Amino acid sequence: MPPSPSRLFAEIATAERPAETRVVMRRAVVLGGSMAGLLAARVLSDHAEEVLIVERDPSDVDAGPRPGVPQGSQVHALLPAGQVQLERWFPGIADEALALGAPPPPRDPGTAKVFVNGMLGLPPAATGTGPALITTRPFLEALVRRRTLAVDNIRMVYGRAEGLLFDERRVTGVRYVPEGGTEPVVEAADLVVDAMGRSSRLSDWLAEHGWPRPPMQRMPIKLNYATALFRRDEKVSDAWVAVFHTMAGRGRTARIGGINSVEGDRWIMLVAGYDGDRPSRDVADFTARCREHYPQMFGDIAEHGEMLGGVVTYHQADSRRRDFHKLDRLPAGLVAAGDAVASFNPVYGQGMTSATLHASCLSRYLRSGPRPHDEPARAYFDQVRVVVDAAWQISTTADIELPHVDGPYPPGYKVTKWFGDLLFRASLTDPVLNARLGRVTTMLDHPAALSRPGTLLRALRLGLLGSSRRCSPVTRRPWRGAVENGGPGRAAATDRGSGSARNQPPWPASPP
């Protein structure tokens, strides 16, 4: 009998490093050298004599956001589950990041603040996953790339992928045009990994050779971001990490905001809205939004902080997933990973973490004794489906409440929504439910963990009868004074919950 999705998810998300690996192929080719491609290459290095990464963007990865990652200048989060997997494949990477300038988290758990619908809730619960990595995307990706390319049997070439080579049953190689060249180069492969992101052309390439396209699901979120970097200055604010989320409802407009303290003694701060609520690159607009719609610290940083560069915007039209597991015909010698499989609303921070878990799926598949060049990788895609389903459930259950989103509604949606709302309200004031919900939204646990009897009963008791604790409302000047002067606002932010901030997720995800 196959394991349940929650059991399989736990096995995929393990922190244990593989005890034994064996080489099952001569050459693997990875199309795409971003996070998903780098992680896939690292896993493949244990099972292939040679791993070749074909990356289209030749720009210096240490020089900041790359053109191939248009969202690279925005706030990124590596959730605790992702950090577990990074440590699994690159031992000591968290300590290396801290040594290279990633800011060490403070010990005060109240320093990370979570605001929901105008209320200051509990700080994120301790996860036990080690010091939280809070960095920009370019910093983390550069570190992962250096560690990946330090592996002896991995090399990277720069060029534009042009297609796949097929025989009757399988993918036999790739075709790419090298950077600065005009003539395509052919590379044979026993296994090809599509890590080309949201804009992957794999579906077209399959169709061109008579194979079916994977079905695609979309949810039109119409998300709009604006982000700016500021020099950290304690005279302006003592902010370390802050997350602000207003959910659509009576008298409320859905908005998201975030502050991360990152390398280089900087803050990276974003404001975001949906549909017609579209922040611009105009500094005055950015500042006005921070002051009008967000807690005091946002306005203080925007008005009085030193902005480093300008405001950068980003738009994502939809969340999407390609369901390879539904294909009745699939060529051997081919897998896909990262955003090429599923791309979620980025406010939930699931992208990089999902990529790390896809790498874990690939490792588990390759250690099962497959013949990747002879048979379709269905076992791999079945595992990836479990990861995608978990992330999709968390993000779309919340996004379906946006006024401009009209479905599709999953079976049992009304009951799920009723209980989800109950659980979420209770988690804002109850440390136990806060910790359990946090483990799911940070992808340490499968969403099924929230349906355990103890969690259900506790949520019902606290949600229906009322919790003995209440969130602190967010106001403007009075709230800032209370916090900074050690008054009631400070007590509300620091006396709740348990555990050290060094073990807390840096970017608390929004509720399911």
Side-chain angles (χ1 to χ4, degrees):
M1 182 176 180
S4 67
S6 58
R7 173 72 177 274
L8 182 54
F9 186 90
E11 294 175 1
I12 292 167
T14 181
E16 295 183 11
R17 299 182 186 113
E20 294 184 8
T21 60
R22 65 187 183 92
V23 174
V24 297
M25 68 188 86
R26 192 180 74 80
R27 176 188 285 168
V29 176
V30 180
L31 300 179
S34 194
M35 290 292 287
L38 294 170
L39 286 155
R42 167 59 190 87
V43 167
L44 286 164
S45 69
D46 290 336
H47 302 277
E49 294 177 6
E50 177 189 2
V51 181
L52 177 67
I53 304 171
V54 180
E55 165 57 32
R56 66 179 177 178
D57 185 2
S59 56
D60 183 359
V61 73
D62 292 309
R66 298 184 294 113
V69 186
Q71 75 279 21
S73 57
Q74 305 296 327
V75 170
H76 276 72
L78 182 69
L79 301 180
Q83 185 164 329
V84 168
Q85 293 305 308
L86 274 191
E87 280 291 327
R88 184 185 184 198
W89 301 114
F90 304 104
I93 194 168
D95 289 338
E96 185 176 353
L98 291 171
L100 291 172
R107 297 185 177 278
D108 179 1
T111 310
K113 293 181 172 62
V114 182
F115 307 95
V116 180
N117 292 344
M119 308 297 285
L120 176 62
L122 293 174
T127 63
T129 55
L133 280 183
I134 311 173
T135 71
T136 61
R137 166 70 179 260
F139 178 94
L140 184 60
E141 186 174 314
L143 178 55
V144 172
R145 179 177 287 198
R146 286 194 296 271
R147 291 290 297 266
T148 301
L149 296 182
V151 179
D152 289 341
N153 61 338
I154 300 176
R155 65 186 178 95
M156 179 180 285
V157 296
Y158 296 107
R160 184 180 68 256
E162 290 292 310
L164 301 178
L165 307 178
F166 291 81
D167 65 14
E168 292 182 357
R169 299 181 301 108
R170 60 179 296 266
V171 173
T172 60
V174 304
R175 185 173 62 253
Y176 76 97
V177 177
E179 172 66 19
T182 57
E183 296 298 321
V185 172
V186 170
E187 294 283 357
D190 297 305
L191 181 68
V192 174
V193 179
D194 172 18
M196 295 183 290
R198 280 173 60 90
S199 60
S200 167
R201 291 176 287 163
L202 177 58
S203 295
D204 294 337
W205 295 344
L206 287 170
E208 289 170 4
H209 289 84
W211 295 92
R213 298 172 180 266
M216 182 184 287
Q217 297 184 51
R218 299 176 187 261
M219 179 168 283
I221 57 173
K222 300 180 182 178
L223 175 69
N224 311 302
Y225 264 25
T227 296
L229 284 163
F230 295 85
R231 193 174 307 283
R232 286 189 66 193
D233 185 347
E234 291 185 357
K235 294 179 181 178
V236 173
S237 175
D238 63 355
W240 173 53
V241 166
V243 178
F244 178 88
H245 188 180
T246 299
M247 291 173 280
R250 186 174 301 173
R252 297 193 306 264
T253 300
R255 288 191 177 94
I256 304 97
I259 301 170
N260 274 1
S261 299
V262 297
E263 74 280 356
D265 204 24
R266 298 173 296 173
W267 286 303
I268 185 169
M269 186 165 69
L270 75 83
V271 296
Y274 292 96
D275 200 14
D277 183 18
R278 194 158 189 164
S280 70
R281 292 189 177 94
D282 181 67
V283 173
D285 174 65
F286 185 87
T287 303
R289 286 174 178 271
C290 289
R291 180 60 74 197
E292 182 177 353
H293 301 306
Y294 298 89
Q296 188 70 34
M297 61 180 68
F298 286 77
D300 287 346
I301 292 173
E303 284 188 355
H304 306 299
E306 178 188 352
M307 184 179 289
L308 305 173
V311 178
V312 182
T313 58
Y314 177 70
H315 173 73
Q316 183 164 315
D318 58 28
S319 297
R320 60 179 66 173
R321 58 182 292 177
R322 296 176 174 95
D323 290 327
F324 288 90
H325 65 277
K326 293 183 177 180
L327 290 174
D328 57 356
R329 291 193 307 119
L330 184 68
L334 178 68
V335 298
D339 284 359
V341 177
S343 172
F344 312 98
N345 183 337
V347 305
Y348 305 106
Q350 298 166 321
M352 291 194 297
T353 297
S354 291
T356 69
L357 291 170
H358 294 177
S360 180
C361 292
L362 184 59
S363 173
R364 196 171 183 274
Y365 164 68
L366 292 173
R367 285 181 285 117
S368 68
R371 295 179 299 165
H373 52 289
D374 286 334
E375 56 191 20
R378 294 194 180 279
Y380 166 78
F381 284 115
D382 286 344
Q383 294 176 57
V384 167
R385 175 193 179 181
V386 172
V387 176
V388 172
D389 282 350
W392 190 261
Q393 180 178 341
I394 292 168
S395 63
T396 60
T397 302
D399 289 343
I400 207 168
E401 289 297 299
L402 295 169
H404 59 280
V405 177
D406 57 1
Y409 293 88
Y413 167 72
K414 290 185 178 180
V415 173
T416 301
K417 171 178 164 45
W418 178 83
F419 176 71
D421 290 346
L422 195 72
L423 172 64
F424 174 63
R425 287 195 300 270
S427 75
L428 291 174
T429 56
D430 179 63
V432 174
L433 292 180
N434 179 50
R436 292 176 185 174
L437 180 60
R439 288 188 62 85
V440 170
T441 57
T442 58
M443 300 187 74
L444 288 166
D445 289 340
H446 189 272
L450 298 178
S451 62
R452 292 170 183 160
T455 299
L456 292 172
L457 291 173
R458 189 178 186 93
L460 287 169
R461 177 172 60 83
L462 294 175
L464 296 179
L465 300 180
S467 171
S468 61
R469 315 178 82 154
R470 290 291 180 265
C471 295
S472 301
V474 177
T475 57
R476 297 301 176 194
R477 296 289 176 184
W479 175 85
R480 179 175 185 263
V483 171
E484 294 188 350
N485 296 327
R490 169 67 72 180
T494 60
D495 292 345
R496 299 175 177 141
S498 61
S500 166
R502 292 183 64 80
N503 292 328
Q504 292 176 3
W507 184 249
S510 303

